[in-house]
Amino acid sequence: MIAPPAGLRIWLACGATDMRKGMTGLAMLVQQGLAEDPFSGAVYAFRGRRAGLIKLLWHDGVGLCLLTKRLEQGQFPWPTTATTGCIALSTAQLAALLDGCEWRAPVARRRPELAG
């Protein structure tokens, strides 16, 4: 796995995206739909309707990179908001997302009430 550089900004595009889009189509979606700069060095994450495929778009300073990951089982957790736009993720949340784990809120662990 390529380790993300320190201070990397990660944006998750809310809603469903047409997964037939390639690098250019997703870069145009970032520029026009999200009003962001696709060449800023930030990572942009997109998910389709079936929820088993995710695409990450990233400009590394030399060129655009497109990472695609398909889960063999299950679905990528995604915001259920009906609005369009994007939300920021941390690198730890991105790692959890790529593993297919819940990244939005960790499961609350019950604290013991008595020591014995």
Side-chain angles (χ1 to χ4, degrees), residues 11-23:
W11 298 100
L12 188 137
C14 297
T17 303
D18 182 1
M19 288 288 103
R20 296 175 292 180
K21 291 181 187 267
M23 258 185 240

Side-chain angles (χ1 to χ4, degrees), residues 13-60:
C14 297
T17 303
D18 182 1
M19 288 288 103
R20 296 175 292 180
K21 291 181 187 267
M23 258 185 240
T24 307
L26 291 175
M28 289 182 66
L29 183 62
V30 168
Q31 198 169 34
Q32 296 172 354
L34 303 177
E36 296 284 338
D37 180 13
F39 308 110
S40 66
V43 173
Y44 298 92
F46 303 92
R47 190 192 79 167
R49 291 199 188 280
R50 294 187 188 170
L53 178 69
I54 191 172
K55 288 187 178 182
L56 302 177
L57 184 71
W58 174 50
H59 191 272
D60 64 355

